[in-house]
Amino acid sequence: MKFQCMQEDFSRALQVVSRAVATRSTLPVLSGIYFELDSARLRCLGTDLEIGIETSIPVTAVEGNGNFVLPGKTIADLVRKLSTEIVKMEISETANQAIVKAGKSVFHLNLMSVSDYPSNPSRKEETIWTLTDVFLRDAIRRTNFATLPNDSRPFLSSILLELEGNRFRAVATDVSRLAVQEGLLETAAESKISMMVPVRAMQEVFKLLSGAEEERVEVAVSERQIMFRCREASLFSRLITGQFPQYEQVIPKSSATIATINKNDLAAALDRVSLFVSSVRMIVSQGRIQLNANGPDVGDAYEEIEAAIEGPDLEIGFNGKFLIDFLKVTDSETVRMSFNGARTPVLMDTQDDENYLYVVMPLLLSE
Amino acid sequence: MQRIIHIDMDAFFAAVEQRDNPALRGKPVIVGGDPRYRGVVSTCSYEARKYGVRSAMPLRQAKELCPNGIFVNGHMRKYEESSGRIMEILRDYTPLVEQVSIDEAFLDVTQCQTLFGTAEKIAREIVDRIEMEERLTASVGVAPNKFLAKLASDLRKPKGFVVVNPEDVNDLMKDLPVKRIWGVGPKTEQALLNLGIPTIGILREVPLELLIGNFGKESGEHLYRLSRGIDNRPVVTEGDAKSIGHETTFQEDTDDREYLTAVLLELSDLVARRMRRYQVQARTITLKLRDANFHTITRGRSLINPTDFEEVIFRTALELAREVEWGRKKVRLLGVSASNLTRGSDEQLSLFSGEDRDRLKKLHQTVDQIKDKLGENAVTRGRIANLKKNPRPPGWRGRGE
């Protein structure tokens, strides 16, 4: 097997698939990158069995075809450091080596056992739909932080994706808060689907998105697996089985007190008081919001900002970080906080984007 | 001057057995289980010690040394209850009580001498009360620091009562072997002997540089200080302890997950109860597992909210246990501890379990009140009660940290 390709293409492809390559695995071959050569393209794949990323690059001067596995980190680092425009490769199965040539540099790299590499995931795809790159970016960016990626309870380490008709929803919760982003599909789903995708997979998908307005992402789902086909590469992930909580029930339907606040004012004030301690007391009264954080070992902080308040006064506690997380990902200039008391869910949203909402539970302050 | 009391119960487990069974009194009693099984002596009476039987000795060896010994199974719960009552007696004098193990504690009585009289008088009263109320004897050391107090309580066991004044320190320690120094194990002892330093008196004459040269800075300075009777460690109470934990060693290693789960629940109960008693909550729960090959795994997890609920401690510990696939190998030791302790901390409310916490809080308050009044066995979970009906393997031994 022989081929040649552009160093830039090859390096970029290797970097992308490397993100799914297993770093610690009981199956050593998973630390490798799998390649499949046909007459015009080289397909590259990395997987740790939970997620996988694949992409392909154009190749020329192809002789023969087939598949092989190379140590992931070594080949990716090597190709990245090559300085020629063209990289030539030759796979010698008899010598069990890959020969990498770039200008006058020559490298012999031992092959990994291709027969040990797990067979490619089934391509039995049942449902396919399309959404915009931009929308998927928002859906991930605005939900992924409200999770607990290392928790063993499945719903805390995943993002729930729901489709019904042409509506799409991404939902995440870490029990203390809930983030919901809605949007429209380009093509309507045939039936109602709801599935849990590991938050790690969604974060990797995010990195594959370009953010370009006209870009589209195709999503395909089978019983156990989801595949995101982006322009640069495709990512597949296993779906998580388990129950997601009845999240709709905790979204407040009405509220007693509503505060409308300039986002940057609130973010800056919270940022400063949280320097002292993350537990923040908020006093909502006519025309203003007072913030106060009191760390027994640090000192205390006080901030006051203007706000339009409807409804009765209120005193409530928060983990300041939870509020800041929301403010960071909203694009509107003003935000709304809707309260029903100091112990019940607080709704945060904006007037000009009804597709995104955030629910946060208060913190009961000790004294 | 600082006054520290060290209380050390005499042959505690054996003494409790003798107290509760008159037929055992005056006899060589060996607690640890049936000498036909694998296992070690956990405690033996002074009558048995005359034959050379010692704690941690294999039961089989104890049987050889003392063929007429009466071997009994331990009754951990009884010892724990007795220990609890003794600790309560100590706390009548000062809150500064550091329980070192089930049968041993330090008290810092420096401040309360104005209230109850001299340290010596307090110590005397404590042993009298333990003897009267618990019908057990203890040995006591009264000294300016923990090291000397422990050294003193050990000098004239059983029923020892040794008071160390600063001017007596050098005479008292002069001829004692170096292994009596806290922290000197068999290895350090051998190293000291090799250097021609058999006694604390001789050690005191060794220059600091030489000790540091031989044992490193930390250990060298440690030996230098302790050989002069200097020890600045404070008495650490549970309230400012860094962690609260319980663990248990099975005499027969087991891979029975159902049984392990029940024990885990009981350990979680004990930890939570102690946390509530000291009004602390933990942010981190740690599980400890030791397999038959003495390979130890510890895994910790942080919580969103600090807790003193056994339900949360148990659930977290069980999750950790499942993650390390416990029971795949036989388990020798199981432990749970709570650390990162805080007091009266903020509580992050949860979106999905609204009233759970308040309900549990009330339940725990009620159960704690009943236990305070009627004893630890008054209320028990079904699962733990079952555990008691089908008792653990012989020689079960628990220990608080």
Side-chain angles (χ1 to χ4, degrees):
Chain A
M1 250 183 292
K2 268 187 187 176
F3 64 90
Q4 63 180 53
C5 59
M6 305 297 284
Q7 184 268 344
E8 205 187 322
D9 291 351
F10 197 19
S11 180
R12 173 87 196 137
L14 292 172
Q15 303 306 324
V16 168
V17 300
S18 286
R19 290 210 293 265
V21 167
T23 43
R24 284 163 302 177
S25 174
T26 43
L27 200 56
V29 77
L30 289 180
S31 68
I33 293 175
Y34 174 91
F35 298 93
E36 216 173 85
L37 179 70
D38 66 26
S39 56
R41 293 192 82 82
L42 178 73
R43 184 173 156 248
C44 317
L45 165 73
T47 181
D48 62 2
L49 299 183
E50 187 186 60
I51 67 167
I53 299 178
E54 63 169 83
T55 187
S56 69
I57 54 165
V59 288
T60 52
V62 178
E63 283 177 32
N65 59 56
N67 39 26
F68 56 99
V69 179
L70 289 172
K73 193 172 170 351
T74 315
I75 186 68
D77 286 350
L78 173 62
V79 173
R80 182 167 51 84
K81 292 180 179 185
L82 294 176
S83 52
T84 56
E85 211 170 283
I86 303 282
V87 178
K88 294 180 181 169
M89 274 191 69
E90 190 183 330
I91 309 302
S92 161
E93 264 139 19
T94 45
N96 198 35
Q97 280 189 327
I99 304 153
V100 183
K101 290 182 187 163
K104 288 182 177 153
S105 314
V106 182
F107 308 88
H108 293 254
L109 189 58
N110 292 346
L111 297 174
M112 296 176 87
S113 164
V114 72
S115 57
D116 287 350
Y117 204 82
S119 59
N120 285 345
S122 74
R123 287 283 180 277
K124 212 185 91 199
E125 288 157 358
E126 282 162 10
T127 317
I128 296 180
W129 75 95
T130 315
L131 45 115
T132 65
D133 183 300
V134 174
F135 168 64
L136 187 56
R137 262 175 81 89
D138 274 347
I140 299 168
R141 179 172 72 96
R142 289 176 165 178
T143 55
N144 83 90
F145 58 85
T147 54
L148 295 172
N150 298 319
D151 202 281
S152 58
R153 284 167 285 176
F155 74 92
L156 293 173
S157 54
S158 52
I159 293 181
L160 177 77
L161 301 182
E162 282 189 328
L163 293 102
E164 194 172 6
N166 63 347
R167 305 289 297 166
F168 172 90
R169 253 183 188 194
V171 187
T173 184
D174 65 2
V175 175
S176 308
R177 56 216 172 121
L178 171 80
V180 182
Q181 172 76 41
E182 268 197 358
L184 287 176
L185 293 172
E186 296 264 299
T187 54
E190 282 168 18
S191 52
K192 189 180 175 190
I193 303 173
S194 107
M195 62 211 150
M196 283 154 66
V197 185
V199 63
R200 186 182 147 232
M202 297 305 286
Q203 285 164 345
E204 289 300 337
V205 170
F206 184 83
K207 293 178 196 159
L208 296 178
L209 299 172
S210 62
E213 200 69 52
E214 69 284 3
E215 208 68 63
R216 296 290 178 274
V217 177
E218 203 178 83
V219 183
V221 177
S222 65
E223 199 183 328
R224 297 229 192 102
Q225 187 173 294
I226 188 166
M227 165 86 98
F228 295 85
R229 279 195 206 103
C230 310
R231 190 172 57 101
E232 171 152 48
S234 296
L235 179 141
F236 56 86
S237 165
R238 76 184 168 84
L239 290 172
I240 289 183
T241 47
Q243 190 69 41
F244 200 85
Q246 301 288 314
Y247 69 90
E248 275 165 317
Q249 292 171 5
V250 306
I251 301 172
K253 304 287 178 290
S254 62
S255 47
T257 303
I258 298 177
T260 309
I261 320 151
N262 178 287
K263 183 186 79 175
N264 291 337
D265 289 353
L266 181 60
L270 278 169
D271 196 26
R272 287 186 295 259
V273 296
S274 304
L275 289 174
F276 284 67
V277 59
S278 63
S279 308
V280 177
R281 183 186 310 277
M282 181 184 272
I283 299 163
V284 181
S285 55
Q286 287 318 302
R288 65 176 186 179
I289 284 177
Q290 293 159 280
L291 298 172
N292 155 238
N294 192 339
D297 307 322
V298 219
D300 60 86
Y302 174 85
E303 292 267 0
E304 196 177 306
I305 46 177
E306 278 180 30
I309 311 294
E310 295 165 45
D313 294 358
L314 174 97
E315 186 175 328
I316 190 168
F318 286 110
N319 179 340
K321 184 189 170 294
F322 291 174
L323 305 188
I324 293 170
D325 282 344
F326 167 79
L327 298 173
K328 271 188 192 158
V329 296
T330 45
D331 305 322
S332 311
E333 258 175 51
T334 54
V335 293
R336 232 179 2 199
M337 294 184 78
S338 308
F339 309 90
N340 279 308
R343 304 182 66 117
T344 51
V346 175
L347 176 68
M348 294 183 83
D349 59 1
T350 61
Q351 257 160 331
D352 48 343
D353 181 3
E354 54 188 29
N355 284 327
Y356 183 44
L357 66 87
Y358 185 68
V359 181
V360 59
M361 281 306 278
L363 186 70
L364 290 187
L365 297 170
S366 57
E367 357 92 73
Chain B
M1 182 185 57
Q2 212 189 4
R3 297 306 274 170
I4 306 293
I5 299 174
H6 182 247
I7 304 271
D8 193 4
M9 299 305 297
D10 297 325
F12 185 50
F13 296 175
V16 172
E17 297 299 334
Q18 288 178 321
R19 175 192 73 186
D20 294 349
N21 182 356
L24 300 177
R25 290 180 198 158
K27 305 255 168 64
V29 175
I30 296 158
V31 181
D34 192 320
R36 284 172 302 179
Y37 296 107
R38 197 188 82 185
V40 294
V41 176
S42 83
T43 317
C44 60
S45 69
Y46 284 90
E47 293 83 1
R49 294 186 194 195
K50 283 182 199 145
Y51 294 88
V53 181
R54 293 286 178 270
S55 295
M57 175 182 280
L59 287 168
R60 226 167 267 151
Q61 190 187 348
K63 180 78 179 170
E64 280 162 22
L65 289 168
C66 183
N68 299 326
I70 304 169
F71 289 81
V72 297
N73 281 328
H75 298 88
M76 204 56 209
R77 185 140 294 260
K78 210 157 72 175
Y79 311 148
E80 273 171 356
E81 282 173 8
S82 183
S83 168
R85 288 190 295 265
I86 292 164
M87 295 302 151
E88 286 310 313
I89 294 177
L90 307 187
R91 288 194 184 92
D92 282 351
Y93 297 88
T94 173
L96 296 177
V97 175
E98 177 180 343
Q99 185 173 353
V100 183
S101 67
I102 192 164
D103 59 352
E104 198 188 330
F106 289 106
L107 287 79
D108 183 340
V109 295
T110 317
Q111 299 301 325
C112 57
Q113 291 182 102
T114 49
L115 223 57
F116 300 113
T118 61
E120 189 179 336
K121 185 167 167 282
I122 295 171
R124 186 64 73 189
E125 209 174 299
I126 286 171
V127 268
D128 287 350
R129 278 186 64 189
I130 292 174
E131 198 159 348
M132 207 148 70
E133 293 173 25
E134 265 318 290
R135 288 177 295 128
L136 294 169
T137 67
S139 293
V140 181
V142 183
N145 61 46
K146 280 165 80 171
F147 165 58
L148 291 171
K150 187 169 164 78
L151 196 79
S153 71
D154 205 29
L155 280 178
R156 309 222 170 92
K157 268 185 149 302
K159 288 186 85 168
F161 193 97
V162 177
V163 178
V164 181
N165 291 309
E167 59 272 18
D168 312 331
V169 172
N170 286 355
D171 276 350
L172 176 82
M173 298 199 304
K174 197 169 70 213
D175 300 321
L176 292 176
V178 285
K179 70 173 177 200
R180 296 295 280 272
I181 294 178
W182 161 67
V184 173
K187 248 173 112 180
T188 313
E189 184 193 6
Q190 194 53 51
L192 285 164
L193 291 177
N194 292 347
L195 290 167
I197 308 171
T199 65
I200 300 178
I202 294 172
L203 178 61
R204 200 161 47 222
E205 282 157 33
V206 180
L208 179 61
E209 299 73 45
L210 193 71
L211 290 175
I212 290 178
N214 276 285
F215 300 97
K217 184 162 158 57
E218 208 170 307
S219 304
E221 286 179 352
H222 177 83
L223 290 171
Y224 186 84
R225 278 197 306 270
L226 291 195
S227 67
R228 284 161 178 72
I230 303 167
D231 174 19
N232 299 323
R233 289 173 301 156
V235 167
V236 181
T237 60
E238 297 233 21
D240 45 48
K242 291 218 169 63
S243 72
I244 291 179
H246 276 272
E247 57 185 49
T248 173
T249 302
F250 306 105
Q251 189 168 338
E252 274 170 26
D253 305 338
T254 175
D255 54 10
D256 175 352
R257 281 188 209 188
E258 200 179 322
Y259 172 70
L260 286 168
T261 306
V263 174
L264 192 65
L265 183 59
E266 179 164 29
L267 293 170
S268 305
D269 258 354
L270 289 169
V271 170
R273 172 111 169 97
R274 262 168 79 203
M275 286 171 65
R276 290 198 291 273
R277 183 176 296 159
Y278 296 100
Q279 294 171 1
V280 293
Q281 294 88 39
R283 284 186 190 279
T284 307
I285 304 301
T286 304
L287 173 84
K288 182 169 164 188
L289 277 170
R290 181 171 297 151
D291 67 22
N293 303 324
F294 280 85
H295 177 68
T296 308
I297 305 173
T298 52
R299 286 281 182 289
R301 169 154 301 159
S302 296
L303 306 167
I304 297 176
N305 275 314
T307 193
D308 56 10
F309 289 177
E310 49 266 41
E311 289 82 2
V312 178
I313 298 171
F314 172 67
R315 195 191 69 209
T316 310
L318 189 63
E319 271 173 30
L320 293 166
R322 286 185 176 145
E323 278 171 36
V324 298
E325 297 179 49
W326 68 337
R328 218 166 34 135
K329 285 186 192 158
K330 288 204 168 194
V331 178
R332 179 186 175 85
L333 175 148
L334 179 64
V336 179
S337 74
S339 58
N340 227 328
L341 303 177
T342 64
R343 197 165 272 177
S345 53
D346 304 330
E347 177 189 339
Q348 174 61 51
L349 298 176
S350 163
L351 282 164
F352 303 107
S353 56
E355 287 152 30
D356 261 20
R357 210 180 143 100
D358 289 344
R359 222 193 62 237
L360 279 176
K361 205 179 249 169
K362 286 203 188 90
L363 175 70
H364 290 146
Q365 278 167 0
T366 312
V367 171
D368 285 351
Q369 278 166 9
I370 296 171
K371 284 184 174 175
D372 285 343
K373 251 193 199 150
L374 304 173
E376 295 296 320
N377 278 333
V379 190
T380 312
R381 272 164 208 284
R383 208 159 183 180
I384 296 177
N386 281 337
L387 191 65
K388 276 167 203 143
K389 262 186 244 153
N390 312 295
R392 349 179 132 73
W396 186 84
R397 208 181 152 165
R399 176 170 81 86
E401 268 175 9

